[in-house]
Amino acid sequence: MASVSPSCSTIRTPVRRSPALAVVSELRRFKQRRAVLPPVAVSIGHVADVVRSDVEFLKNKIGIGLKWANVAFRVPEVSKSAEEVFWLRHLEDSASPPLEQPSLPQPSYSGLTGVDLLMADVKALEAYAGYVYCLSKMWSRPLPEVYDPQAVADYFNCRPHVVAFRLLEVFSAFMIAAIRVRASESDKGKNLEASGQKFGMVLKETMLHLGPTFIKVGQSLSTRPDLIGTETAKALSELHDRIPPFPWPEAAKTIEEELGAPVESFFSQFSQETVAAASFGQVYRGRTLDGLDVAVKVQRPDLRHAVLRDIYILRLGLGVLRKIAKRENDIRVYADELGKGLAGELDFTLEAANACEFREAHARFSYIRVPKVYQHLTRKRVLTMEWMVGESPTDLQSITTSYSENDTPIHERQKHEARRRLLDLVNKGVEATLVQLLDTGILHADPHPGNLRYTTSRQIGFLDFGLVCRMERKHQLAMLASIVHIVNGDWSSLVEALTDMDVITSGVNTRRFALDLELALGEVELKNGIPDIEFTKVLSKILQVALKYQLRMPPYFTLVLRSLACLEGLAASGDPNFKTFEAAYPFVVQKLLTENSAATTKILHSAVLNRKKEFRWERVALFLSKSSARKGSPLVASSRDETSAHSSSNQTDKDVDTVSLVMKLLASKDGVVLRRLLMAANGTSLIRTFISKEADVIRQKLCTMVADTLYQWMVGISGVNSLKFISLSDPPASLGTNTSLKDFKTLIGDKRVRVILRKILESLKSDRVLTLKFCWTSFVMFVTASALACHRFVISVSEGYVNYLSLSAPVALRT
């Protein structure tokens, strides 16, 4: 009988063990596995990574749960309803008429009976009931469309809980930001540059969290690296281009509400992707039914309430600060000016009107590009404009500053081209700003990099006309005069210009004000006669002195300062050595020399003439040299055909060029201002200066002009040019611009120039000694010019004969 294996015949029955034995066995197996596994090094960094990964996992899961809850429980709709209740918008009535404030009864008890008192009480109760009824009606009044400080205050006085919650939100946001910055500074491994970057990033995130008004403030601060530091300004500059967009369904709803029909009814193509997101709106690209490419700007939802709430809080804060500082002037006007500007930006129809006005005013300047507005597709919260193709300054800066370890020649060429385009944009921006400031009077008050484009046709394009400054003519002339007086260091005249600018009011001690200005601006160094300082710093120093005297600055002054600050920040990034004063002064001089008006003539006379009507020659030289150095100047334009291609290297050559160009300008149609200036000047002082040592350059140039003219006259009357066997060489080029016989005849034959010369010579009658000196100097100049002309004629004829003989001798030998 075969045996059966126990493993096949025996059925194993389960053994019941106690729980304590099971726990002991589990612990024994865990110890055995722990003894087999290698030891693991545990550090704080390990724990931080584990905690960080757990936090990210929980955030993702919580985010998924919140999205499901938003859809399942309809959280956005509930939140919208709660917001309506919170703001009490269901009580607002746009048709609510303005209410008159009821007057309370005045108490009076003399000679009254009990019935009279009872009736007075009844009337008082009636008045109180009317007052309560009026207060209840104030809840139904909406926010004003046009900024009105009192109306805004009435609105938010009925909603103190809204203001309280916002104050708590702002305070907590900045407290958290301060804690984050303090925690980052405690890290000893961080350097100063890294701490600046961290502060800028924290400040940027805080501004983004607090909403549109604070984003606007951050954008303005980003243009002042001199105040907040380069790294902080660089971080805040991202507020121009990297603002989170709001969802497309809300934008589509806004377009449909404003235009009265779905998007498809007006556009054949419409991209749902945001092209650019700004603080007050975001831009989409579309195509109209006519096939035109357009940019559609859509306003953010519920923006007016949020912006005016922050302005109201700012106004309250300035009021408290005024009481603490015990200032006489009302500094709350700065909040009111900001509120007017931001409220204007909320109405896109006003922005469209600004764009059309700006486009018409600058149409004659070919280098300025303004997109066209499509009025039939524009409403209060929707703006449709022509699509502008161009590069933004931010893109050009990123290309210019890009770095690669293996820079190829192509990459270097791209960087060079980007830098060239950026500098061209800056130069055109300075020119355009001066045109706006001193010519048209319509100033784009927010030219940050996001609102500028460099087009393919080398034009500077302007976008976003929500904030435009309109300057009065007297303010333009005062600004023009102030630039001239700052360059000349004429502080008393600068005080007069600031008075015309409405900066200095009546009752201010102008002498002390002038001394303080000289103290603030007198330390500025000059470079080639021009202040080596940024224009915004000059205006900031003027602003500091004005605030010292508790003066209220005019609204346009702040907007001009902001506009120039944006432009100078862009110029500094393109060229660190760029100085706006140096770039602006030639434009100022050209405007004074070409604009034939009483106001500009007065400014010019005050700049170059003293009280005795004598020329200040150092200022005249600066004026003429800067004007002749500017492209498009009348000094250059009047002699464009004759001017030498190469510029002189030394200062003497430049002075001679200037003298020659002035001689040409005197007889031209653009020289009316210069001729009037000579007529107004003291003739005796002109003669003294002409025979002085300092005028040696002028006399040399006049000798050269007379010698050139005599030489051409000798060639003409001798008939040498008619001899075919003699070819005269060109006369040696004199310093500066050659003057032809025709030019000299034009200058001498011009009646206006002869009147000026007659007037100057008549002034010599009172001084015989000066007359003799002038006659002797003129005689010496004429003799010198005649000798030069004869010498040049003899040399030219001799060279002509020698060249003829040298060419004809071999022919004679062959015959």
Side-chain angles (χ1 to χ4, degrees):
M1 186 175 179
S3 62
V4 180
S5 175
S7 60
C8 296
S9 61
T10 305
I11 298 175
R12 186 175 297 175
T13 58
V15 180
R16 299 184 62 184
R17 293 185 294 180
S18 65
L21 292 176
V23 172
V24 171
S25 61
E26 288 294 332
L27 287 174
R28 188 176 300 149
R29 284 195 299 271
F30 176 74
K31 289 181 179 181
Q32 291 175 356
R33 287 198 304 269
R34 186 175 181 182
V36 175
L37 294 174
V40 179
V42 181
S43 64
I44 298 177
H46 239 22
V47 175
D49 293 337
V50 172
V51 172
R52 192 179 296 109
S53 62
D54 290 344
V55 170
E56 292 295 332
F57 174 79
L58 290 175
K59 286 172 64 177
N60 292 334
K61 295 302 181 183
I62 292 174
I64 294 173
L66 289 176
K67 290 181 180 179
W68 175 84
N70 284 336
V71 176
F73 299 106
R74 304 180 67 182
V75 173
E77 289 80 358
V78 175
S79 176
K80 184 70 175 179
S81 302
E83 185 179 2
E84 294 288 337
V85 174
F86 180 78
W87 282 87
L88 305 177
R89 291 192 184 124
H90 59 284
L91 298 178
E92 297 180 10
D93 183 10
S94 58
S96 176
L99 299 176
E100 296 182 0
Q101 189 76 13
S103 59
L104 298 178
Q106 299 297 326
S108 179
Y109 307 104
S110 57
L112 295 178
T113 63
V115 177
D116 294 333
L117 291 175
L118 178 61
M119 295 303 297
D121 290 338
V122 171
K123 291 183 178 180
L125 289 175
E126 182 182 358
Y128 286 127
Y131 183 74
V132 173
Y133 176 77
C134 179
L135 289 179
S136 65
K137 282 296 183 180
M138 290 181 63
W139 291 67
S140 64
R141 299 183 64 182
L143 273 173
E145 295 291 332
V146 180
Y147 180 79
D148 181 7
Q150 187 59 45
V152 172
D154 292 341
Y155 181 87
F156 285 102
N157 286 339
C158 298
R159 295 162 176 82
H161 56 289
V162 175
V163 179
F165 274 104
R166 182 57 174 175
L167 285 172
L168 181 62
E169 182 183 7
V170 173
F171 179 77
S172 60
F174 279 105
M175 283 298 298
I176 294 173
I179 294 173
R180 291 178 60 187
V181 172
R182 186 63 180 172
S184 65
E185 290 178 354
S186 64
D187 192 350
K188 298 181 180 180
K190 298 275 187 180
N191 56 15
L192 184 61
E193 181 179 356
S195 62
Q197 292 177 350
K198 181 63 177 179
F199 175 76
M201 294 302 296
V202 171
L203 186 60
K204 182 199 73 173
E205 294 174 2
T206 305
M207 297 290 188
L208 284 174
H209 173 70
L210 290 176
T213 309
F214 286 88
I215 291 175
K216 282 286 185 182
V217 175
Q219 290 175 348
S220 299
L221 289 176
S222 68
T223 62
R224 298 305 304 270
D226 54 324
L227 298 180
I228 61 176
T230 304
E231 298 300 328
T232 305
K234 184 178 179 180
L236 291 180
S237 64
E238 297 180 3
L239 292 174
H240 295 297
D241 302 316
R242 302 183 182 180
I243 300 176
F246 57 90
W248 159 249
E250 296 184 10
K253 182 180 178 182
T254 301
I255 295 174
E256 183 175 349
E257 290 176 353
E258 292 294 319
L259 299 182
V263 178
E264 297 79 10
S265 303
F266 303 97
F267 303 96
S268 59
Q269 295 181 10
F270 201 95
S271 174
Q272 298 184 5
E273 297 294 329
T274 305
V275 177
S279 54
F280 281 10
Q282 58 193 33
V283 180
Y284 297 90
R285 183 170 184 176
R287 178 170 294 176
T288 63
L289 300 178
D290 300 334
L292 301 174
D293 289 333
V294 294
V296 183
K297 184 178 178 181
V298 185
Q299 191 177 111
R300 292 180 179 271
D302 300 329
L303 191 60
R304 181 176 299 275
H305 289 75
V307 170
L308 295 184
R309 173 196 58 192
D310 292 339
I311 296 298
Y312 173 75
I313 292 174
L314 177 61
R315 197 172 190 274
L316 288 179
L318 290 177
V320 174
L321 181 62
R322 177 194 178 191
K323 292 182 179 179
I324 295 176
K326 297 180 179 180
R327 295 186 64 91
E328 296 180 1
N329 57 331
D330 191 359
I331 60 177
R332 294 180 298 176
V333 294
Y334 295 107
D336 294 339
E337 294 299 331
L338 180 62
K340 291 179 182 177
L342 296 183
E345 291 189 62
L346 293 173
D347 190 350
F348 287 172
T349 57
L350 296 179
E351 181 176 348
N354 292 339
C356 293
E357 184 181 4
F358 192 90
R359 178 186 173 92
E360 293 176 1
H362 300 90
R364 66 181 186 273
F365 302 99
S366 58
Y367 57 90
I368 298 178
R369 173 77 183 280
V370 181
K372 181 182 177 181
V373 178
Y374 297 98
Q375 299 287 354
H376 65 288
L377 297 176
T378 298
R379 299 293 185 274
K380 284 190 175 182
R381 294 188 295 163
V382 176
L383 174 63
T384 306
M385 303 182 72
E386 175 188 1
W387 181 264
M388 181 182 292
V389 179
E391 298 174 288
S392 69
T394 306
D395 297 337
L396 294 175
Q397 287 176 354
S398 62
I399 298 175
T400 304
T401 58
S402 62
Y403 174 75
S404 177
E405 295 181 356
N406 300 322
D407 278 349
T408 61
I410 298 177
H411 183 66
E412 289 293 335
R413 195 180 304 112
Q414 290 176 349
K415 291 174 62 175
H416 177 73
E417 286 296 320
R419 179 178 177 81
R420 181 192 61 79
R421 294 195 298 272
L422 181 60
L423 293 179
D424 188 34
L425 173 66
V426 169
N427 289 322
K428 286 184 169 65
V430 172
E431 185 88 3
T433 302
L434 292 171
V435 165
Q436 299 166 36
L437 186 63
L438 304 177
D439 194 341
T440 61
I442 303 176
L443 184 67
H444 190 293
D446 194 18
H448 62 75
N451 291 339
L452 298 177
R453 292 293 183 271
Y454 187 72
T455 66
T456 54
S457 56
R458 297 183 180 181
Q459 296 173 301
I460 178 172
F462 287 91
L463 304 173
D464 193 356
F465 297 90
L467 197 58
V468 172
C469 174
R470 294 171 179 83
M471 297 182 63
E472 297 181 15
R473 180 60 179 169
K474 67 172 185 176
H475 294 155
Q476 289 180 264
L477 294 171
M479 185 69 72
L480 180 67
S482 65
I483 296 174
V484 176
H485 298 324
I486 290 171
V487 172
N488 293 332
D490 192 351
W491 311 117
S492 58
S493 299
L494 177 60
V495 170
E496 294 179 3
L498 293 176
T499 304
D500 294 336
M501 292 168 63
D502 295 335
V503 173
I504 301 177
T505 56
S506 59
V508 177
N509 190 333
T510 55
R511 290 187 177 182
R512 291 185 58 187
F513 197 94
L515 290 175
D516 289 339
L517 276 180
E518 184 177 0
L519 181 63
L521 299 174
E523 300 177 355
V524 178
E525 297 181 358
L526 298 180
K527 181 179 179 183
N528 297 327
I530 303 296
D532 190 20
I533 189 175
E534 294 178 355
F535 197 75
T536 49
K537 289 185 178 180
V538 173
L539 295 182
S540 298
K541 290 180 180 293
I542 295 175
L543 179 62
Q544 292 174 4
V545 177
L547 292 178
K548 176 182 176 181
Y549 286 83
Q550 297 188 3
L551 299 177
R552 176 192 171 187
M553 301 303 292
Y556 77 90
F557 193 92
T558 307
L559 294 178
V560 169
L561 183 61
R562 175 183 178 181
S563 176
L564 292 175
C566 295
L567 189 63
E568 285 192 337
L570 180 61
S573 63
D575 183 7
N577 299 321
F578 187 89
K579 299 299 180 184
T580 309
F581 250 118
E582 188 173 356
Y585 199 65
F587 180 89
V588 172
V589 173
Q590 180 189 349
K591 190 169 183 63
L592 290 177
L593 290 177
T594 56
E595 184 172 324
N596 185 19
S597 65
T600 54
T601 301
K602 180 181 177 182
I603 297 172
L604 182 61
H605 286 190
S606 65
V608 300
L609 298 178
N610 58 18
R611 294 182 179 179
K612 296 181 179 180
K613 299 298 182 180
E614 296 176 347
F615 271 108
R616 304 175 185 180
W617 289 102
E618 68 283 356
R619 299 184 181 180
V620 174
L622 177 63
F623 260 59
L624 297 178
S625 62
K626 292 300 178 183
S627 180
S628 60
R630 184 177 183 273
K631 183 179 180 182
S633 168
L635 294 178
V636 178
S638 61
S639 61
R640 185 180 295 111
D641 298 333
E642 297 87 359
T643 305
S644 58
H646 63 281
S647 60
S648 303
S649 58
N650 53 57
Q651 186 62 36
T652 303
D653 293 348
K654 293 179 180 178
D655 293 338
V656 172
D657 289 340
T658 302
V659 171
S660 177
L661 294 172
V662 168
M663 294 300 176
K664 293 179 178 292
L665 181 63
L666 274 175
S668 67
K669 63 178 181 179
D670 295 323
V672 58
V673 176
L674 185 58
R675 290 191 293 269
R676 289 188 176 183
L677 182 63
L678 291 174
M679 288 294 294
N682 189 326
T684 306
S685 68
L686 288 174
I687 298 297
R688 286 198 183 97
T689 305
F690 180 75
I691 64 177
S692 66
K693 185 178 179 180
E694 289 77 10
D696 186 54
V697 174
I698 300 177
R699 293 195 297 272
Q700 287 181 8
K701 180 58 190 174
L702 286 177
C703 283
T704 305
M705 291 174 59
V706 174
D708 289 341
T709 305
L710 289 176
Y711 170 78
Q712 296 172 16
W713 176 75
M714 290 177 182
V715 172
I717 65 172
S718 63
V720 176
N721 281 337
S722 62
L723 300 177
K724 297 182 179 179
F725 58 88
I726 295 181
S727 98
L728 295 181
S729 60
D730 294 333
S734 60
L735 293 175
T737 304
N738 290 331
T739 306
S740 64
L741 181 61
K742 180 181 178 182
D743 295 332
F744 191 78
K745 288 182 178 180
T746 303
L747 180 64
I748 299 300
D750 192 276
K751 294 182 179 179
R752 299 165 296 187
V753 176
R754 285 188 295 183
V755 169
I756 295 173
L757 291 176
R758 189 181 302 113
K759 185 257 183 184
I760 294 174
L761 294 176
E762 286 178 354
S763 64
L764 290 175
K765 295 179 179 179
S766 60
D767 194 339
R768 295 182 179 181
V769 177
L770 184 62
T771 304
L772 291 176
K773 290 182 179 180
F774 174 73
C775 292
W776 174 252
T777 303
S778 302
F779 175 74
V780 172
M781 287 175 57
F782 181 76
V783 171
T784 305
S786 301
L788 288 174
C790 293
H791 178 266
R792 187 177 302 169
F793 178 77
V794 171
I795 293 297
S796 299
V797 173
S798 301
E799 288 180 351
Y801 274 106
V802 169
N803 292 334
Y804 168 72
L805 293 175
S806 62
L807 292 175
S808 61
V811 178
L813 290 176
R814 285 195 299 270
T815 58

